[in-house]
């Protein structure tokens, strides 16, 4: 999943890249830990959450919220997605996840130099697939499928999605995301696992697991993209 800074450029926003605070939907009479309000909070109050809460947390959509309109998303310190009619919140990612995410995007960016017919998205790459809005660590589309001038979300499935495990989402949670992506037309998903220094490649044909010293298998739709596994974890050594 994915926390990034707000993208440069006026009005642009990707799922989960806005700053401020939000109201959490929680059962009553639970032990609570305060999340401080931010300067531009869209609500008049914040509500405490348990210290050991499991993420993602469902948030109440603000007035005027429209999933397809990035400008209507709440400004919050963390990551947001709209899945199954629910606005889901994840806190900012930790240093390990940040480092691996940057390396993953860097791998794609260097490959893009030789393959300008593709478009690489990062920084919570926002996409609308079906009725849901999700943000990936990184994703690859054919350039002719993407309008880079738009401030909205991409509405066609990418060929490749990369997700990185973190504090709140381990391998089990990423597997659920991978199945969701495949069910919405994504051809391949790479799951980077910092704890084991492995990358799992998931396609409709199954999954393969790759360790340091291996190269990821090429996909026929992405010529020349077969990076070494250690490239994802170069900042962790």
């Amino acid at each position: 999943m994915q926390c990034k800074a707000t993208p440069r450029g006026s009005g642009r926003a990707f799922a989960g890249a806005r700053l401020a605070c939000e109201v959490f939907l929680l059962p009553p009479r639970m032990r609570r830990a305060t999340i401080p309000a931010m300067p531009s909070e869209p609500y008049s109050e914040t509500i405490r959450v348990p210290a050991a809460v499991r993420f993602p947390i469902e948030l109440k959509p603000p007035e005027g919220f429209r999933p397809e309109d990035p400008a209507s998303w709440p400004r919050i310190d963390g990551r947001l997605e709209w899945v199954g009619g629910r606005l889901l919140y994840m806190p900012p990612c930790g240093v390990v996840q940040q480092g691996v995410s940057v390396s993953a995007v860097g791998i794609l960016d260097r490959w893009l130099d030789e393959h300008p017919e593709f478009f690489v998205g990062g920084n919570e790459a926002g996409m609308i697939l079906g009725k849901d809005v999700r943000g990936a660590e990184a994703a690859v589309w054919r350039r002719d499928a993407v309008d880079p001038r738009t401030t909205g979300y991409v509405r066609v499935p990418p060929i490749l999605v990369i997700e990185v495990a973190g504090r709140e989402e381990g391998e089990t949670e990423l597997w659920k995301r991978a199945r969701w992506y495949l069910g919405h037309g994504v051809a391949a998903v790479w799951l980077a696992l910092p704890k084991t220094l492995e990358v799992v490649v998931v396609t409709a044909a199954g999954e393969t697991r790759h360790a340091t010293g291996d190269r990821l298998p090429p996909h026929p739709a992405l010529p020349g993209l077969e990076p070494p596994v250690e490239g994802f974890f170069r900042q962790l050594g």
Side-chain angles (χ1 to χ4, degrees):
M1 236 358 279
Q2 319 87 338
C3 79
K4 314 291 183 286
T6 303
R8 296 175 181 174
S10 61
R12 177 176 294 184
F14 292 84
R18 315 297 302 262
L19 298 179
C21 210
E22 182 57 90
V23 172
F24 299 108
L25 303 182
L26 295 170
R29 294 190 296 276
M30 296 184 68
R31 293 180 57 204
R32 303 182 174 200
T34 301
I35 292 181
M38 302 293 287
S40 55
E41 107 182 81
Y43 295 97
S44 61
E45 63 177 355
T46 56
I47 298 178
R48 299 175 180 182
V49 299
V53 69
R54 297 190 63 168
F55 291 95
I57 289 178
E58 182 180 357
L59 306 185
K60 179 181 178 182
E63 184 178 354
F65 174 73
R66 293 186 297 127
E68 71 279 5
D69 180 9
S72 73
W73 285 65
R75 302 175 63 189
I76 190 168
D77 187 5
R79 298 163 280 166
L80 296 174
E81 292 185 319
W82 178 257
V83 181
R86 302 166 65 211
L87 185 60
L88 303 179
Y89 166 82
M90 293 279 285
C93 55
V95 64
V96 170
Q97 189 177 7
Q98 291 178 36
V100 177
S101 296
V102 166
S103 295
V105 173
I107 287 169
L108 297 180
D109 186 56
R110 291 187 291 275
W111 170 79
L112 188 65
D113 289 341
E114 302 297 325
H115 297 276
E117 68 273 24
F118 293 94
F119 181 90
V120 171
N123 193 26
E124 284 302 286
M127 63 191 81
I128 296 180
L129 302 181
K131 295 183 178 180
D132 297 339
V133 182
R134 305 210 80 151
E137 302 282 5
V140 180
W141 288 266
R142 292 283 310 180
R143 176 167 286 277
D144 55 16
V146 176
D147 182 359
R149 299 167 298 178
T150 183
T151 57
Y153 302 117
V154 181
R155 291 178 175 266
V156 297
I159 301 167
L160 170 70
V161 162
I162 301 178
E163 294 286 7
V164 179
R167 295 172 302 182
E168 291 80 26
E169 286 187 309
E171 184 174 353
T172 299
E173 290 76 19
L174 291 191
W175 261 103
K176 295 177 182 178
R177 295 181 67 87
R179 288 195 293 269
W180 184 92
Y181 284 123
L182 294 179
H184 285 77
V186 176
V189 182
W190 293 354
L191 307 179
L193 310 177
K195 282 188 176 181
T196 59
L197 302 182
E198 294 176 305
V199 177
V200 179
V201 176
V202 186
T203 67
E207 59 99 357
T208 56
R209 186 176 293 261
H210 306 272
T212 300
D214 298 338
R215 282 187 174 271
L216 299 187
H219 190 280
L222 299 169
L225 186 58
E226 42 189 318
V229 169
E230 56 265 27
F232 290 85
F233 310 111
R234 59 196 297 262
Q235 296 199 82
L236 304 187

